Amino acid sequence: MTFSPELEAKFADLITHYPEGRQRAALIPMLMFGQEEVGSITNEFMAEVARRLGLTPMQVDEVVGYYSMLHKKPMGKYHVQVCTNVACMLRGGAELYDQACHKLGLGHKEVSADGLVSLEEVECMGACSWAPAVQVNFDFHHEVTADQLDTILEGLKK
Amino acid sequence: MALVNVTINGVPVQAENGALLIEVARQNGIEIPAFCYYEGMSLQAACRMCLVEVEKAPKLMAGCTLPVAEGMVVRTESEPVVKARKTTLEFLLSNHPLDCPVCDKGGECELQDMTFKYGVGESRFTEVKQHVPEKQWSPVVFYDAPRCILCYRCVRVCNEGMGVGALGISYRGVNAEIIPSHGDHLECDECGSCIDICPVGSLTSGIYRYKTRPWEMEHVGTVCTHCSNGCKTTLGVRNNEIIRGNNRDKSGINGEFLCVKGRYAFDFTQHPERLQTPLVRNEAGELEPASWSRALKLVAEKFKALAGPDFGVIGSTRTTNEENYLLQKFARTALGTHSIDHHRTGDVVTLIDALSGKTGQLAALEDLYTSKAVLVVASDLAQQHPLLAGKIRANFRHHKAAVYTVTPGPVREDKIARRSIRIAEADSLAGVEQLREALAKEAELVIVFGDAVQGDKVRQLVGFGESLGIPVKYIALVDYANSRGALDMGLLPGLAPGYHAAAPGRSLQQMLDDSSLAALWVVGANPLKGGRKLAASGAFVVVQDLFLTETAQCADVVLPAASAYEKNGTVTNVCGQVQRLKKGVETVGAKTDLAIIGLLARGMGVNLGKVDADAVFAEIAATVPGYNQLPMPVILTGGAAQTHPVNGGVPASLVPGLIASARDTLFTTGSLTRYSKILNEVLEKPGALYR
Ligand code: SF4
Ligand code: SF4
Ligand code: SF4
Ligand code: FES
Ligand code: FES
């Protein structure tokens, strides 16, 4: 499997971040960055990463299943993530998630027919101090209100 | 290692410094409950069931990972411990379906036992239980996630025990579950080890599920009939039907190990094509059913008339030592022939000849687990000799054994090998030579070799071993459950039982090719497989077998024989270790080969002595060199005792004949497994590596 020169450079650099013999520690960042380029975590991609880090494909599969930010099928161009963990839930996160479901007509990890938007109910993303939090791709939105959510979702255009 | 003093539940005990508390307790008769801890597997510390109170420790400690130290004072059943265990169980049960009444494991379930022991009758959890449907991963492996307690035993046994690594754990929290190698299904050895090791009923077996309750079966300890490794297996029998095979009591040389064939492929005994009545060729030239008395009478008369040097006898690699011994005795005395042979699959004869004058150089199975180094030559061990491969893997895991492979293609053992040489089988010895320097540095070595090393090459290999200047032991690989017994019992032209001289005779090939053959008696073999023809078209042919094989179809009389699971007796494994078969079931109409031989002898007026398995074994033990010093109590109690055959002064070159392994893989052994429905269903990729 081949990647862009940029990604290859990224991978090569990542592997140097960990002590000799612990290269498997690069697994999660490699999957994250690779997912951006490949579009999702395909079997071929998992096998390639496994080969490079000296893991079995099964070991990679275990990790992919564990972390909700790693997706086996492609998500939308805009991936909307609403946190419903404790801090956010107490400040209306669950209601925000319901609102997003209705507005987008999507459920957990579902993608719109045109592939533009996808939705995910996520666990704590470390933004508890500004709960409730919503993330679109890598952009954070803090202390989100119902109106703000509408605006955010309406702004998701081609 | 230094001993330390530890107090467990007020009892002072001594233990090796650093030994695991759970093991120390166990050795002193104290059980610390454990779900994830499993002897021989890596530590996981995932279940918290083994918590114990250790004086001066701030909190309860996990006994499964706690090394003992001097002065340690431990309580394994104190009030805080019991409370913690109850809580652990309450947690484990919070999403557990508690469907014990319909669960296969009910009665043998460790979770059930522990819940019973600690009396966890109530739960504070009132939430609706998380449910996911059961999944079928292969014809033999099913997974029910709600029952799973995530102990990782299955994951580890597959990774470490089998070297396959087909199982993992994925997702998180209440959604966490075991995942199979290929998304929604398994591609693996299909050995079922994961099912057996599962403490609960989460992994279930395709052939056993919902069939019986464990206590309704009889448990019959016998030996697997599929390959030469000789795994002890405990058959679960109900209403004259084998329902499962496993070896959970770890009795026998294999411990718990069984491969797919041992664990599942006993269903051939029930195949609808099993012969249940003798067949006799009628005047129209067709085989028609006949009574036993008529068939036996006919055969006895014919045998009597045709006895002499032109009588050919082909014995079996699956019949018992007793049957083999009696067959050759009958042939060499009453039938007056020296043409007796069987399908040979490894050159044990030359090995024993090459080791003449030396002792203790035939390795036992255990040597593969204890030897500092192992060399595998020309065999795909994980496929062809699963138990031997398993022992080597365990040796590597537990003792860091140095493993070397010399094979034509990649093998699973490469993964643990210090060096692997890729070389054509014909050049195996050149490959071995490349390892000379490395091997000579080892403290000791076991060399395991396949049929590509035969004849003079065996001598050269032994010469090579000698020249290393270290202790070397050997295993000449053979294919079938009693291949070794057939050799030991003298089913060979020119070799009597115990590798002693007998008058020369025709080899199997020569019998098939000799048009002057007057009669051919085939006991449990299929020499005409693959369209081979018998040159002596007029010969009187008698076949004893379970099925109407290619050879049986050409016979004048076919006698239905019992399988190994249907008889008593002994078999000898690839390492020369003798174990006892115990009859588990019966097939109506079939007789054991021993009984058939006895009845034919009687019909001919020949006295063979008492024809029963124990009596014949006593005769073997009294007369066959190598079998005369067997510790009987070991064999009688289901253990394995190694024989010590020595060459009786007969050069191997005087024993003509062909040696060819069938190269069966995990999913095939030809004549029996083609009648195993379940094995044919899992026939995914015979020979694939699954690494
Ligand atoms: S190889 Fe054996 S232990 Fe591994 S998944 Fe397959 S059946 Fe289970
Ligand atoms: S399936 Fe069984 S062995 Fe595997 S983790 Fe679950 S409970 Fe343990
Ligand atoms: S390794 Fe051989 S003896 Fe053991 S279970 Fe498999 S076929 Fe039977
Ligand atoms: S709980 Fe929502 S970001 Fe932490
Ligand atoms: S047995 Fe110790 S944590 Fe499972």
Side-chain angles (χ1 to χ4, degrees):
Chain A
M1 189 172 188
T2 51
F3 305 104
S4 68
E6 295 76 28
L7 191 58
E8 281 295 357
K10 188 106 204 160
F11 284 173
D13 173 56
L14 270 173
I15 287 177
T16 65
H17 288 206
Y18 308 96
E20 193 48 44
R22 305 285 168 86
Q23 266 52 46
R24 61 190 294 171
L27 176 60
I28 295 173
M30 278 176 80
L31 290 172
M32 294 251 331
F33 290 115
Q35 172 172 267
E36 280 295 287
E37 181 170 308
V38 182
S40 65
I41 313 274
T42 59
N43 286 340
E44 192 192 3
F45 178 37
M46 283 197 280
E48 178 65 20
V49 176
R51 194 184 59 77
R52 292 186 182 204
L53 298 179
L55 299 167
T56 64
M58 174 53 81
Q59 288 168 318
V60 176
D61 207 352
E62 288 180 315
V63 169
V64 172
Y66 188 88
Y67 290 102
S68 59
M69 77 277 192
L70 300 172
H71 309 289
K72 285 199 180 173
K73 349 175 270 208
M75 289 292 123
K77 182 175 173 200
Y78 299 106
H79 185 50
V80 180
Q81 300 144 69
V82 183
C83 173
T84 56
N85 254 184
V86 181
C88 293
M89 180 189 71
L90 290 173
R91 310 232 319 143
E95 288 78 12
L96 286 180
Y97 177 65
D98 277 347
Q99 183 185 339
C101 286
H102 282 114
K103 179 126 186 138
L104 299 171
L106 299 173
H108 178 59
K109 286 215 180 190
E110 285 180 2
V111 191
S112 63
D114 59 2
L116 190 65
V117 187
S118 52
L119 179 65
E120 184 181 354
E121 177 183 12
V122 295
E123 312 281 328
C124 177
M125 27 196 211
C128 319
S129 328
W130 307 283
V134 173
Q135 196 184 336
V136 182
N137 295 343
F138 287 110
D139 296 333
F140 275 95
H141 300 271
H142 297 149
E143 292 173 356
V144 180
T145 63
D147 286 348
Q148 281 170 345
L149 182 62
D150 274 343
T151 318
I152 295 168
L153 296 181
E154 277 154 20
L156 303 179
K157 299 275 147 62
K158 302 226 190 263
Chain B
M1 223 190 210
L3 289 182
V4 293
N5 298 293
V6 185
T7 309
I8 307 179
N9 298 346
V11 184
V13 303
Q14 284 205 318
E16 265 182 23
N17 192 12
L20 294 174
L21 176 66
I22 195 167
E23 282 299 333
V24 174
R26 201 170 277 184
Q27 281 148 20
N28 288 282
I30 297 165
E31 187 197 7
I32 298 180
F35 289 130
C36 70
Y37 175 79
Y38 206 84
E39 194 193 347
M41 299 285 143
S42 62
L43 300 180
Q44 192 75 43
C47 74
R48 306 283 111 184
M49 197 54 199
C50 64
L51 292 181
V52 294
E53 200 179 349
V54 181
E55 256 179 32
K56 300 204 186 82
K59 53 180 184 167
L60 300 181
M61 310 280 281
C64 69
T65 46
L66 183 67
V68 293
E70 180 60 38
M72 201 178 248
V73 180
V74 183
R75 280 181 285 277
T76 69
E77 294 289 338
S78 63
E79 213 186 297
V81 170
V82 169
K83 191 166 163 229
R85 294 214 182 118
K86 277 193 176 185
T87 319
T88 299
L89 287 165
E90 192 182 343
F91 253 124
L92 287 176
L93 294 176
S94 63
N95 261 318
H96 191 88
L98 290 170
D99 53 351
C100 313
V102 294
C103 177
D104 279 354
K105 209 74 174 199
E108 299 180 318
C109 172
E110 296 176 39
L111 182 62
Q112 206 178 42
D113 291 350
M114 285 302 135
T115 307
F116 182 75
K117 177 168 177 188
Y118 289 99
V120 200
E122 280 168 24
S123 172
R124 283 166 285 177
F125 296 99
T126 53
E127 288 76 11
V128 175
K129 294 195 182 202
Q130 165 106 348
H131 184 77
V132 280
E134 189 182 40
K135 303 174 183 80
Q136 177 173 9
W137 285 340
S138 84
V140 292
V141 187
F142 288 69
Y143 176 62
D144 188 37
R147 289 179 187 158
C148 177
I149 59 170
L150 298 173
C151 67
Y152 287 78
R153 277 192 199 176
C154 54
V155 175
R156 283 173 289 157
V157 80
C158 191
N159 269 337
E160 303 168 15
M162 303 308 300
V164 174
L167 298 176
I169 289 199
S170 197
Y171 316 119
R172 237 187 311 181
V174 290
N175 297 319
E177 61 180 49
I178 304 297
I179 52 168
S181 57
H182 284 67
D184 61 350
H185 71 281
L186 268 175
E187 278 175 33
C188 65
D189 279 9
E190 306 285 2
C191 67
S193 304
C194 48
I195 301 172
D196 256 13
I197 208 171
C198 180
V200 298
S202 188
L203 288 165
T204 53
S205 147
I207 51 157
Y208 175 75
R209 58 206 311 273
Y210 301 130
K211 265 206 166 168
T212 184
R213 310 256 74 193
W215 55 85
E216 287 173 333
M217 293 180 290
E218 263 182 86
H219 303 281
V220 184
T222 186
V223 181
C224 170
T225 186
H226 288 292
C227 88
S228 62
N229 295 191
C231 294
K232 164 108 193 297
T233 171
T234 305
L235 303 176
V237 177
R238 198 190 63 182
N239 296 339
N240 198 36
E241 184 190 351
I242 306 172
I243 303 189
R244 73 175 180 192
N246 67 24
N247 208 34
R248 285 313 308 270
D249 61 2
K250 300 190 186 173
S251 58
I253 46 176
N254 49 316
E256 274 174 294
F257 185 96
L258 287 178
C259 78
V260 60
K261 287 183 268 191
R263 208 180 301 271
Y264 298 112
F266 41 74
D267 57 341
F268 70 84
T269 55
Q270 297 251 346
H271 195 279
E273 286 173 33
R274 244 336 257 283
L275 296 173
Q276 290 185 287
T277 170
L279 302 171
V280 172
R281 200 166 292 281
N282 62 18
E283 268 156 25
E286 282 156 7
L287 284 172
E288 68 177 16
S291 68
W292 269 103
S293 55
R294 187 179 146 225
L296 286 171
K297 187 156 173 277
L298 177 76
V299 174
E301 276 166 9
K302 280 284 204 178
F303 275 15
K304 207 162 178 176
L306 298 170
D310 289 333
F311 200 109
V313 177
I314 296 176
S316 172
T317 48
R318 285 206 181 82
T319 47
T320 63
N321 289 328
E322 293 73 14
E323 290 165 337
N324 294 347
Y325 177 85
L326 206 65
L327 179 66
Q328 65 80 32
K329 181 176 166 185
F330 187 39
R332 289 189 163 119
T333 55
L335 295 177
T337 179
H338 298 291
S339 297
I340 180 162
D341 202 353
H342 71 282
H343 171 200
R344 281 178 257 168
T345 55
D347 202 353
V348 179
V349 174
T350 307
L351 178 64
I352 291 177
D353 186 15
L355 294 177
S356 288
K358 308 181 182 82
T359 50
Q361 290 197 275
L362 294 169
L365 184 71
E366 211 46 25
D367 290 314
L368 292 177
Y369 178 65
T370 54
S371 176
K372 299 257 184 300
V374 180
L375 166 63
V376 180
V377 185
S379 175
D380 187 349
L381 222 55
Q383 289 288 328
Q384 295 168 1
H385 297 274
L387 174 62
L388 269 50
K391 285 282 170 192
I392 297 175
R393 274 195 300 276
N395 193 3
F396 173 76
R397 238 168 44 242
H398 295 157
H399 313 130
K400 302 198 169 56
V403 179
Y404 300 89
T405 58
V406 177
T407 56
V411 291
R412 192 181 294 163
E413 289 67 43
D414 291 345
K415 206 162 63 172
I416 55 170
R418 207 160 277 186
R419 267 187 76 190
S420 297
I421 308 278
R422 277 299 88 78
I423 198 160
E425 281 194 346
D427 303 325
S428 293
L429 293 184
V432 171
E433 193 57 49
Q434 292 179 34
L435 295 170
R436 175 179 286 280
E437 222 176 299
L439 294 175
K441 290 202 194 100
E442 301 292 350
E444 56 180 351
L445 181 67
V446 176
I447 303 181
V448 181
F449 60 92
D451 69 333
V453 180
Q454 55 175 274
D456 248 358
K457 287 184 177 166
V458 177
R459 276 175 227 287
Q460 289 164 27
L461 186 64
V462 170
F464 171 85
E466 299 282 294
S467 71
L468 292 175
I470 56 169
V472 182
K473 292 185 180 187
Y474 303 87
I475 298 175
L477 296 170
V478 289
D479 286 4
Y480 302 108
N482 206 21
S483 278
R484 186 58 191 273
L487 292 157
D488 290 357
M489 292 302 126
L491 296 186
L492 289 167
L495 273 190
Y499 304 92
H500 281 241
R506 297 178 188 81
S507 71
L508 189 152
Q509 194 58 44
Q510 287 164 340
M511 287 184 243
L512 298 186
D513 294 344
D514 189 344
S515 55
S516 61
L517 206 70
L520 183 65
W521 183 15
V522 181
V523 177
N526 190 12
L528 301 184
K529 190 174 174 178
R532 284 167 79 180
K533 287 268 169 317
L534 188 62
S537 51
F540 178 68
V541 180
V542 176
V543 173
Q544 293 170 209
D545 213 312
L546 277 68
F547 298 100
L548 200 62
T549 60
E550 288 91 331
T551 311
Q553 284 165 23
C554 305
D556 296 288
V557 179
V558 183
L559 301 173
S563 76
Y565 297 136
E566 298 158 342
K567 58 173 93 155
N568 295 322
T570 62
V571 287
T572 308
N573 82 350
V574 62
C575 303
Q577 290 167 290
V578 179
Q579 298 181 88
R580 212 152 88 114
L581 292 183
K582 215 165 148 197
K583 176 172 169 175
V585 289
E586 221 163 338
T587 291
V588 176
K591 291 188 194 301
T592 66
D593 294 292
L594 195 77
I596 298 173
I597 297 168
L599 289 167
L600 287 176
R602 176 139 38 109
M604 290 171 66
V606 174
N607 182 8
L608 284 178
K610 194 170 171 211
V611 179
D612 103 345
D614 289 344
V616 179
F617 187 72
E619 186 174 333
I620 293 171
T623 60
V624 179
Y627 279 69
N628 44 12
Q629 277 161 13
L630 293 177
M632 288 311 289
V634 173
I635 298 176
L636 291 175
T637 52
Q642 197 187 13
T643 57
H644 300 284
V646 282
N647 178 274
V650 187
S653 53
L654 290 185
V655 186
L658 211 69
I659 297 170
S661 160
R663 311 295 169 100
D664 282 313
T665 72
L666 267 182
F667 302 103
T668 55
T669 51
S671 34
L672 286 185
T673 46
R674 65 172 138 155
Y675 295 100
S676 166
K677 186 162 165 276
I678 194 76
L679 211 65
N680 287 311
E681 279 170 10
V682 300
L683 204 81
E684 3 188 286
K685 282 180 198 157
L689 276 178
Y690 307 124
R691 291 192 294 175

